[in-house]
Amino acid sequence: MKIDLHVHSCHSTRSSIWLLKKIGCAECYTTPQQLYDIAKRQGMEAVTITDHNSIDGALEIADRPDVFISCEVTAYFPEDQCKLHVLVWDMTQEQFKMIDELRTNVYEMVDYLQKNNIYHGLAHPFFSLNDKLDLEKFEKCLLLFNHFEINGDEEHRSNDLLQLIINNLEKNDLDRISDKYNMAPVGELYWQKGLFGGSDDHSSLN
């Protein structure tokens, strides 16, 4: 199936860029209908919208049979507030409310997603959102997540490095990291990671 699993609409209102915040500029101005039309012209077989901490954009087009509700959730490691963006797909409105409550603790949020069989993956794994992402947090992400994004807005070097790491992971690598942090890995075949694609588009141009 061809689908863009990371795309923003005008419901992503608060920009993470300092200058855009200062001048009151929203992060994206593309309407959900425009995104839907573009996706279908590009040959997408299904459509979703992953706005920041909001499902309003996806809900606007949710009456279509080939649309499902998704979100880019800002989650935090509780020990130091390291920020992550987690893409969560195909959820109900009630599930979104619970995810929104749990996102201040990424461990609790991932546990909820796993127990409820809600599809999810880590967006732009090497992008440090608040300058707190380090080797320890990345290794913990390898234990927490089984799907990692090849991001259309990142440099090729970052995506190439991610693929190199993910494609060469072995069971003993994850077992060593698990022992290092006394933290159980998520999933039965936890060393077998998946890669998915997302444009991370904010302008309907990419």
Side-chain angles (χ1 to χ4, degrees), residues 42-202:
Q42 294 284 350
M44 303 293 174
E45 293 151 282
V47 179
T48 196
I49 297 174
T50 53
D51 286 313
H52 289 293
N53 304 312
S54 172
I55 59 173
D56 292 345
L59 286 174
E60 277 194 28
I61 55 173
D63 59 324
R64 296 158 176 80
D66 55 355
V67 170
F68 54 91
I69 299 171
S70 304
C71 182
E72 184 175 18
V73 179
T74 303
Y76 298 86
F77 280 100
E79 57 266 38
D80 66 354
Q81 297 302 297
C82 176
K83 188 187 296 188
L84 302 173
H85 280 170
V86 181
L87 293 161
V88 183
W89 307 290
D90 198 19
M91 73 188 94
T92 67
Q93 294 183 63
E94 287 303 313
Q95 287 171 332
F96 170 71
K97 291 178 183 176
M98 181 58 68
I99 293 165
D100 196 44
E101 289 180 14
L102 294 173
R103 66 186 182 87
T104 55
N105 186 320
V106 69
Y107 305 110
E108 294 179 358
M109 188 186 81
V110 168
D111 184 61
Y112 174 80
L113 296 173
Q114 287 290 129
K115 288 178 178 176
N116 288 274
N117 296 313
I118 301 172
Y119 298 110
H120 59 284
L122 183 63
H124 40 67
F126 294 140
F127 185 67
S128 184
L129 295 162
N130 59 353
D131 297 323
K132 294 187 178 183
L133 181 66
D134 54 18
L135 178 60
E136 175 184 331
K137 295 304 180 305
F138 179 73
E139 289 182 328
K140 287 182 176 180
C141 284
L142 290 175
L143 299 174
L144 279 171
F145 298 99
N146 289 317
H147 299 93
F148 294 79
E149 181 188 42
I150 301 298
N151 183 280
D153 198 40
E154 288 287 294
E155 293 183 353
H156 289 298
R157 286 180 299 176
S158 295
N159 288 326
D160 290 345
L161 178 59
L162 177 66
Q163 291 183 79
L164 183 66
I165 292 170
I166 295 303
N167 291 335
N168 287 280
L169 280 176
E170 296 183 358
K171 184 176 183 296
N172 64 323
D173 296 319
L174 271 295
D175 290 341
R176 174 182 54 79
I177 296 171
S178 177
D179 291 342
K180 180 178 179 180
Y181 299 111
N182 191 28
M183 178 179 163
V186 170
E188 186 175 344
L189 299 176
Y190 51 85
W191 63 95
Q192 296 183 9
K193 306 299 183 182
L195 295 166
F196 63 91
S199 69
D200 199 3
D201 179 79
H202 289 75

